[in-house]
Amino acid sequence: MILDSDGDGIFNQFDVNNDNPYSDSDGDGYSDLEETEDLKRTGRFDLIDPLDSSKYPPLDHDKDYLCDWHDKDDDNDLIEDDVDNCHFEFNPDQSDFDNDGVGDVCDDDIDGDSVLNIYDNCPETPVEDVVDLDGCSIFYLSADNFSISKTEKCAGENSITLSVIDGSIEYDVAFKTYESSSSDKSTRYFSFSGNKFELESLSAGTYSLCITAAGVSSSEFERCFEVTITEPDPLSVYATMSSDLNMVQLNLAGGQVYNVTHNGKTTQTKDANYSVTLSKGYNKIRVDTGIECQGVFEHEYFVSNEVRIAPNPFSDQLMIYVSGEDRSVNVEVFTSQGTLVHSERRDLDPFNRSISLITSGYQQGSYIIKVTGETTNRTITAIKE
């Protein structure tokens, strides 16, 4: 019967100590159990033999005679492998400059700048820095650090605004005019800090702004912008009234946004064609773009209530009917030569809007009847028989 009293995988007849599974029968430093277990795990009979001192487990980085596969501290730095940031390199301080989870002693890029240590002339640049090909810090601002806008108004009243995210830096600006109605084509230089820089009182033209940081070479950092400023065309408004006299059609040109004001109420529109429904009585329409130099359109309209007379021709009496809601109107009668022959103020109510004129004393001929009120203004020609 073949026995293995200590269960270390070595039969008693070859085991130097049948009562100790950690005995070392071949004297290579690895226990019998260690070698037999690793042999079972790998099947490498060509490398491992518990009875041959020249064959022993191949993976034991710290040479502590415990195989890596079950050694909880492969580098003997007293940091267990499951929390050790370098499993196979002795680093009890666990230093990790770039905090990437890989300890410095086994990190081939200690500062995490994508330049390998063997090529890095500055191996410990701050993690947030941008570096050159040698791994050394260079001045850098994000692409969105600057934004530029313009305000186009009238000649000599235009402006360019530079907005800045990082306002802690002092910036230098080279400002040049390429094409402009201005006679000054020279480059002007400015310095500023903060989150905003404005150039004002500009004419129409094309301008360039090149921005650098104070104390930093333009070869290392420079951002340039080109801005074209145009001055607006004059406001053009062509107004036509509908056949029923109740609406005005506006054809607009020259602006991007139009302010249309009707009797004090303003509406904005971008449309080139805009309709205004008129109210009975007085209507004032004003159109502007908000840019004074483009001009202003103003016009007044009066939409009268309907006035009818009967009979026409008339003899001894003339009836006048006034529609709408005016509570009183003026009634005037003129001869065809313009002589006023009658004038009176007459009250009206919602239920009786007729006016009676006694005309028996009028001579034969043509007369002009004029009726005016808050929302009424009509002139009618009538004939006396």
Side-chain angles (χ1 to χ4, degrees), residues 84-98:
D84 194 340
N85 60 18
C86 283
H87 289 179
F88 303 121
E89 298 288 344
F90 184 85
N91 66 331
D93 62 359
Q94 296 288 287
S95 60
D96 181 9
F97 183 82
D98 58 0

Side-chain angles (χ1 to χ4, degrees), residues 156 175-188 201-207 231:
F175 179 65
K176 184 175 182 180
T177 305
Y178 284 116
E179 299 176 4
S180 172
S181 56
S182 170
S183 59
D184 185 4
K185 301 295 192 296
S186 62
T187 300
R188 290 181 283 167
S201 303
L202 302 177
S203 300
T206 300
Y207 301 89
E231 291 171 355

Side-chain angles (χ1 to χ4, degrees), residues 189-204:
Y189 298 92
F190 304 91
S191 294
F192 77 97
S193 59
N195 299 106
K196 182 181 287 188
F197 173 70
E198 288 187 296
L199 291 159
E200 300 177 317
S201 303
L202 302 177
S203 300

